[in-house]
Structure formats: C-alpha cells, structure tokens
Amino acid sequence: MEQELLEMLQETTGKDFSSLEAALEEYTGREIFGMWLENEGMIGYTETILDAVKLLNP
C-alpha cells in the first residue's frame, strides 16, 4: 500500500518521495488520504469517511 500511495503522490503532486515518512513531512495524513480518495474517484468524502472511522474505533 505504501508504494501505491507514493506512486499516487508522484502522479498527483509531481513530487517523488522516497518513503511515506518523507511525504508526511510535507503533507498530513488527512491530506494524503484525501488525495488518494480523489485519485480513486471518491471526491468530497474524506471527512465523512474519517468521521465514520473515528466513531467505529473509539
């Protein structure tokens, strides 16, 4: 999954990160998750999904 996220970030931002940790120095996890969702065609659902996950995993 990490490689998939890194490839998505390169396609989306044009930046080639060596690791997910390096990407997280520039973007928050929420931002990366949002970019990944949009890349997968789920535009506008980031906060709703994260809120649901938070409720289900107290």
Side-chain angles (χ1 to χ4, degrees):
M1 184 70 202
E2 181 174 348
Q3 187 60 38
E4 182 180 336
L5 289 171
L6 292 173
E7 289 171 6
M8 178 277 303
L9 283 167
Q10 183 173 15
E11 291 172 11
T12 303
T13 67
K15 298 177 183 177
D16 189 15
F17 294 102
S18 59
S19 67
L20 192 53
E21 291 78 25
L24 287 166
E25 289 178 9
E26 187 162 337
Y27 298 101
T28 67
R30 277 174 135 39
E31 290 172 320
I32 294 171
F33 185 63
M35 285 186 260
W36 179 74
L37 285 176
E38 288 184 18
N39 191 61
E40 294 294 315
M42 295 190 280
I43 298 167
Y45 292 96
T46 304
E47 292 304 316
T48 302
I49 291 169
L50 290 173
D51 287 345
V53 169
K54 185 177 177 181
L55 286 173
L56 296 169
N57 293 304

